[in-house]
Amino acid sequence: MNRDIRAARWARHTAGPLAALLGVTVLLGGCGKLKEEVAAVTAKQTLLDTVPDGSEGPFRFSGKDGTDDVSGSVDPAAKGLELSTAIKDPEHGFTTTIAFRVLGEDIWTKISFTGTEGLTGLPKLPNKWLKLDPAKLTDAESVPKYEGTDPGNAGPLLQAATSVTEAGNGKYSGSIDLTSGEAAKVLEAERMTALGEAAKQVPFTATVDGEHLTSLTLDVPAAGSAKAFQYVVQYRDFGSAPKLAAPAGAQAQNAPALAYELLNG
């Protein structure tokens, strides 16, 4: 996932060029190379068509990028996004869990600590959804926004695929050029620089359940001092995930100054 957890929405390609290629294949049925090329185009388009576009209703997602694990849900009708991530302090052993809920232009956060036995001096925040004022954030871009229905950036990644093979039973594999277009913004800039030429041929696998993309996994190779890792996006519970609504009553309050200190720090 991007550090700022941005979501991306991507338009589908038209079927015109694909239909033309398929027509040529019928006429030139003996041309093996052309068949392979058309199969690759068809497989790529099939995957792109399964990326969430808002018609699926609310759904859940999870992902990891080698550093952070995130999970949450998307509610297209409400322009809603909820996500949470847990960050463990390697020195003291406690875990900070930060959750955000976004509905249109409104955003709330909930911050909690676990594994704090024997520790003192940790900030104490209400166990409620804390409504944030973007004007009080030193970097408003550091908190999530609702920017579409593809929080894992599967669309721009698959758009940059240079080869796609369909293995049957909803399974796909291929390679992605992470230096191409919007795909170049998915990983951190430092990581992209370290990858060098290897960023142009990153292997991936994907699974599709019916009309929906359920997983996309990139096997990012080791680069410099950074170890190899998997970039993983998972989507599930299409249409059955709970709808998102604004926290109300005792569930919420305006964020205190301490919350801004933590987020701005």
Side-chain angles (χ1 to χ4, degrees):
M1 297 290 170
N2 290 338
R3 285 286 179 180
D4 57 5
I5 322 293
R6 294 188 180 191
R9 183 172 185 171
W10 284 77
R12 301 294 179 261
H13 292 274
T14 61
L18 177 59
L21 278 173
L22 290 175
V24 172
T25 304
V26 172
L27 293 174
L28 303 177
C31 184
K33 183 178 180 181
L34 182 57
K35 281 186 174 181
E36 292 176 1
E37 291 176 352
V38 171
V41 172
T42 303
K44 179 176 178 177
Q45 185 60 46
T46 298
L47 275 176
L48 284 169
D49 287 342
T50 64
V51 175
D53 63 4
S55 62
E56 306 86 356
F59 63 92
R60 292 187 173 93
F61 70 88
S62 59
K64 60 181 180 180
D65 66 357
T67 303
D68 302 316
D69 291 3
V70 301
S71 61
S73 61
V74 174
D75 185 350
K79 294 185 177 181
L81 169 71
E82 184 171 307
L83 63 83
S84 65
T85 185
I87 305 167
K88 187 167 184 177
D89 185 299
E91 181 179 355
H92 302 99
F94 70 91
T95 298
T96 304
T97 300
I98 304 178
F100 292 97
R101 183 177 295 183
V102 180
L103 290 167
E105 299 298 319
D106 295 327
I107 182 168
W108 296 260
T109 188
K110 184 181 287 188
I111 305 172
S112 61
F113 304 94
T114 55
T116 59
E117 294 78 7
L119 298 177
T120 58
L122 286 173
K124 295 183 179 180
L125 289 167
N127 184 27
K128 297 181 179 182
W129 285 105
L130 308 175
K131 189 169 186 180
L132 296 173
D133 178 357
K136 295 182 180 180
L137 296 168
T138 56
D139 181 11
E141 295 298 320
S142 65
V143 298
K145 298 178 178 63
Y146 179 83
E147 293 183 349
T149 56
D150 182 19
N153 295 308
L157 289 170
L158 290 173
Q159 183 64 49
T162 55
S163 66
V164 182
T165 301
E166 183 176 2
N169 297 321
K171 298 184 183 301
Y172 296 80
S173 62
S175 60
I176 288 174
D177 180 359
L178 288 180
T179 69
S180 175
E182 293 296 317
K185 302 176 183 179
V186 174
L187 298 186
E188 291 179 304
E190 295 83 358
R191 182 74 189 190
M192 290 292 294
T193 300
L195 281 171
E197 286 297 307
K200 295 182 178 181
Q201 292 289 324
V202 177
F204 80 89
T205 57
T207 58
V208 173
D209 182 5
E211 299 178 352
H212 305 306
L213 178 74
T214 55
S215 72
L216 174 66
T217 301
L218 275 66
D219 292 309
V220 183
S225 60
K227 297 180 180 179
F229 71 94
Q230 288 189 322
Y231 180 96
V232 180
V233 181
Q234 295 178 322
Y235 296 142
R236 62 188 183 279
D237 299 336
F238 293 98
S240 63
K243 296 180 179 181
L244 294 177
Q251 297 179 339
Q253 68 172 69
N254 289 331
L258 182 56
Y260 292 103
E261 291 178 17
L262 290 172
L263 294 173
N264 291 332

